[in-house]
Amino acid sequence: MMDNGKIADHFEELADLMEFRSENPFRVRAYRNGSKAIRDLGESVTAILTDPSRKLDAVPGIGKGLVDQTRVLVETGRLPQLEKLRQEVPEIVLLMARIPGLGAKKAVVLHQELKLETLDDLRRACEQDVVKQLKGFAAKTQQVILEGLEIAEAAAERVYWANGDQLAQAIAVHMRQCDAITRMEWAGSYRRGRETVGDLDLLVVASDRQLAMDQFESFPQRSQTMMRGDTKVSIRVGKAFQVDLRLVEEGEFGAALQYFTGSQAHNVHVRRIAKQNGLKVNEYGVFRIDDQSRVAGASEEEVYQAIGLPWISPELREDRGELTGDLVSPEDLLEISQLRGDLHMHTTATDGEATIREMADAAIERGLTYIAITDHSQRVSMAMGLDPKRLREQWRSIDAIRPEYEGRLEILKGIECDILEKGGMDLPDDCLEEADWVLASIHYGQKQSRDQITDRLLGALENPHVDCIAHPTGRLLNRRRPYEVDMEVVMDCAKRQGKLMELNANPARLDLNEVHLAAAKRRGIPIVISTDAHSIVGLDVMRYGVLQARRGGLVAANVANTLDWPEMKRRWLSAD
Ligand code: DGT
Ligand code: CA
Ligand code: CA
Ligand code: ZN
């Protein structure tokens, strides 16, 4: 029987291949949406198909065409259309096409000319200067490929926290069906809320270890068991992603959790402090060095306490001062319930999918008291950015609907104004002046020198109408490095000018990172956590931003949008 994960994998691959062949984007999207719908469906697609009283196309996201294909796949285990496409596009070509800066056309040429079979072959061809001799390839391209390979390899290894979270929750639901499991907790980078996770680490206490391990191995999305021992099982999910299960004793659970949560750097530091106190720490407990007696291990609190430390929130365990600097008490760290507004979102006026009204209603449902509509400015032509005329039209429509939302939600007239390549803002001052909230951000000229980029940001901060810098480093996790920028200088200027900085909560951005957040906190620069939503569901990414904020040690007082709008305006916005 074919499980939902397998079916979804088939359609996802089909969508990838069709996209590669530049086939109809609507059909590509239909397969991609269908794949997601099947993957997220709480019950078996095969079961629905074999039940004459049920209709698969009643499931949202699954159309008629997909139902027929799914039936073929479930009945025969094969998808002829996919097999045909696989013949036409070898996997290595797809892998190469995903390298940033390479693209489909060049990938095909490389494959034809060099008969490459693996990405390693490609790396070798670059290192031996073979690539730059091909027609249409320059030394620069070869360099770009080499750098892109690095990113592509990292991307193959690590997933966004948000995706790790989705998988972790599915595994947790599966494991809870096993009665032998009496206790269960995630450890590792996932528990620490790192931006990306390399693998997942699950700790379990069970009355019957074999049953718990069997349950783990029967996770429907498992593709392979890499090893199974007495206390540990490692499986692969999908192509390569690894999940480790460790079985531990109830009385040692706290020590194991502390050990396997890491980070390694944090643990090394903890052990050093312990040693100074005559103690030894390992995954089984805390022991006195002199007589080997065990002093702690059942709970994490007791482990830290035995060493003379308060319990430290997992998000902070990176050895960045959490053991020595000013301790942030865990209950003070920011929580999502403390956020009142969302100050970065797009609508159908530019590249968003929902109208102002739809975004406003969705914001109310999510408990917010204000939002800013911040569509793109004219320079961002690909997203139909707004010129002054269209922007003012949008503001008039906001004026028109405001009375409806009176007392429920404040809708602010905002703009995400591009910082031009040559410096300066993309919209005239008289226009920016009329806005309630102005974000400034860089979308073009990201390859400029450190000085140029820094100057552009300083120029924006010095504009009296700009309130906040959005996604300040421009990075996209696994895909695009941050641009070169002197963040120290930018932050000093932000502080001087009384400006705010964004923590963009999109799981692919999480920009600023936790180190920058901590630096902003030290300087007293208020942070605004925003979703940058391009749709209603885009508003739900706020929790990833909150996790990132906690990693930076932020408390409510450091985050401007924990205040209601009138208060926030009074407290943090310069009167311009
Ligand atoms: P990841 O998976 O690369 O995103 O990062 P982590 O932190 O989850 O690393 P992982 O999965 O290799 O190990 C989980 C934790 O277990 C790690 O943070 C610290 C602890 N740990 C694992 N292996 C070692 C080791 O050899 N030495 C020490 N001190 N700690 C280890
Ligand atoms: Ca891990
Ligand atoms: Ca691991
Ligand atoms: Zn935006």
Side-chain angles (χ1 to χ4, degrees), residues 289-517:
I289 293 173
D290 51 12
D291 62 2
Q292 304 292 318
S293 64
R294 189 163 179 278
V295 293
S299 74
E300 262 196 342
E301 286 79 3
E302 134 188 342
V303 167
Y304 279 103
Q305 195 185 21
I307 308 164
L309 293 164
W311 181 80
I312 291 161
S313 196
E315 295 94 330
L316 295 173
R317 299 185 196 171
E318 301 290 343
D319 195 26
R320 294 203 175 111
E322 74 276 10
L323 294 168
T324 49
D326 289 336
L327 294 178
V328 186
S329 149
E331 58 270 22
D332 289 345
L333 287 175
L334 185 74
E335 280 171 32
I336 189 154
S337 59
Q338 294 174 310
L339 292 178
R340 314 291 294 159
D342 188 348
L343 290 167
H344 187 165
M345 67 189 65
H346 299 264
T347 71
T348 47
T350 63
D351 56 353
E353 288 171 14
T355 61
I356 298 172
R357 254 204 194 81
E358 287 165 341
M359 293 305 268
D361 293 339
I364 292 172
E365 270 175 40
R366 285 158 181 76
L368 300 180
T369 65
Y370 59 101
I371 57 172
I373 302 298
T374 56
D375 273 306
H376 290 291
S377 62
Q378 53 197 1
R379 173 66 183 90
V380 189
S381 48
M382 262 177 31
M384 298 182 306
L386 303 175
D387 58 21
K389 182 161 168 286
R390 286 179 62 216
L391 181 56
R392 286 183 167 115
E393 272 165 28
Q394 183 181 61
W395 289 344
R396 272 196 295 278
S397 47
I398 291 178
D399 278 332
I401 68 169
R402 267 180 174 166
E404 278 173 50
Y405 288 91
E406 179 92 57
R408 295 193 295 150
L409 184 79
E410 208 147 356
I411 305 173
L412 304 173
K413 300 173 188 171
I415 180 74
E416 180 179 10
C417 187
D418 205 64
I419 303 171
L420 298 172
E421 290 99 308
K422 60 178 176 8
M425 302 300 292
D426 187 27
L427 292 169
D429 279 348
D430 65 303
C431 191
L432 296 180
E433 190 178 6
E434 291 169 36
D436 297 315
W437 174 250
V438 176
L439 292 172
S441 62
I442 287 181
H443 293 103
Y444 297 94
Q446 302 201 9
K447 299 246 165 73
Q448 289 176 357
S449 71
R450 187 178 171 91
D451 286 348
Q452 273 174 300
I453 301 254
T454 304
D455 281 347
R456 284 165 72 190
L457 287 169
L458 295 187
L461 287 165
E462 279 156 12
N463 181 305
H465 310 301
V466 168
D467 297 302
C468 176
I469 303 289
H471 44 75
T473 76
R475 68 139 174 213
L476 292 176
L477 290 162
N478 284 353
R479 293 209 299 272
R480 192 169 73 203
R481 271 178 227 275
Y483 34 70
E484 295 292 330
V485 57
D486 191 336
M487 199 44 84
E488 298 256 312
V489 170
V490 169
M491 283 198 184
D492 285 342
C493 180
K495 178 65 191 162
R496 212 164 43 241
Q497 300 289 342
K499 300 296 164 77
L500 295 82
M501 293 186 88
E502 180 181 86
L503 160 50
N504 191 296
N506 185 304
R509 286 195 184 272
L510 295 172
D511 180 7
L512 297 169
N513 69 24
E514 81 280 18
V515 176
H516 287 140
L517 290 171

